[in-house]
Amino acid sequence: MKRLMVFVTMMASLLVVTSPASADSGNAYTVKPGDSLYEIAAYNGIPTTQLMAVNNKRGTTIYPGEQLELPVDPNTYERGLLARLVEAEAKGESYAGKVAVATVVLNRVESEIFPDSLYGVIHEDYQFTPVMNGEINKPASAQSKAAVREALAYQGFDNESLFFYNPAKATSAYLSKKEVTTVIGNHVFLR
């Protein structure tokens, strides 16, 4: 019986051990002693280069206690929601324009000035016209779904755009003060 108790105690202590790359909460991870960038990336199923890009790292050196941002990893519902938003916001735009719109939403999730979930960013008051007028409830095209997949795969490798607008349809004194990162089709992207 004593051996069984020792075995059970040993097994219980093993169950408490967590992977060095398990996320603390949401899209953040606190580096623990012995962690490597490679292990954290592998555990989360992302390329090391993407983890480096999301955290603006030029090398692989990390330190215990350092906070690392992990790329947004949406569930099926959130992917669909983002694809429907892309379809509604960028209908008629090029594939690159659709990827850029999806990227803006993902960048907002990572930004401290916006909600920290895809749902929260998309449904934040007065941010996206398709949410307000119901266009977001229409199905997404295959191209919009592909654009979301590509934006997810390349998180961190962009111009850090947080805003976009079509100057032919909207004007904004607030956005006119922002730095233009790129122009794709009818949309101007800003940070």
Side-chain angles (χ1 to χ4, degrees):
M1 185 68 154
K2 188 173 184 180
R3 283 186 182 167
L4 180 61
M5 290 298 285
V6 169
F7 177 74
V8 169
T9 303
M10 286 172 49
M11 292 304 290
S13 67
L14 289 175
L15 293 174
V16 174
V17 175
T18 59
S19 166
S22 59
D24 295 332
S25 64
N27 296 326
Y29 174 74
T30 303
V31 176
K32 313 255 184 315
D35 282 351
S36 75
L37 214 53
Y38 172 78
E39 289 172 330
I40 295 166
Y43 181 81
N44 287 284
I46 56 175
T48 304
T49 53
Q50 185 179 23
L51 184 58
M52 290 170 64
V54 167
N55 289 282
N56 297 314
K57 289 198 162 288
R58 296 192 191 282
T60 58
T61 304
I62 55 175
Y63 301 97
E66 181 179 355
Q67 275 292 116
L68 295 177
E69 291 296 321
L70 299 174
V72 176
D73 184 20
N75 61 35
T76 303
Y77 170 77
E78 291 171 324
R79 282 178 190 259
L81 181 65
L82 181 54
R84 292 192 315 273
L85 178 70
V86 167
E87 179 70 20
E89 282 285 2
K91 194 171 194 156
E93 293 292 325
S94 68
Y95 178 74
K98 289 178 179 175
V99 173
V101 167
T103 299
V104 165
V105 177
L106 296 173
N107 288 346
R108 285 185 176 196
V109 174
E110 297 296 331
S111 170
E112 293 183 9
I113 62 173
F114 292 99
D116 61 358
S117 71
L118 275 174
Y119 183 89
V121 166
I122 292 170
H123 287 281
E124 186 174 24
D125 290 343
Y126 309 108
Q127 293 299 305
F128 298 106
T129 303
V131 174
M132 295 184 294
N133 67 18
E135 288 291 310
I136 195 167
N137 297 317
K138 294 182 178 177
S141 66
Q143 189 178 54
S144 290
K145 291 175 186 177
V148 167
R149 286 191 300 275
E150 185 166 333
L152 286 165
Y154 291 101
Q155 288 178 73
F157 296 105
D158 66 333
N159 294 323
E160 301 175 1
S161 300
L162 290 173
F163 307 93
F164 67 91
Y165 76 107
N166 180 339
K169 295 182 179 179
T171 58
S172 168
Y174 176 75
L175 292 180
S176 68
K177 296 175 186 168
K178 300 289 182 187
E179 177 186 349
V180 174
T181 57
T182 192
V183 176
I184 302 174
N186 295 314
H187 283 144
V188 177
F189 295 84
L190 314 119
R191 69 170 142 215

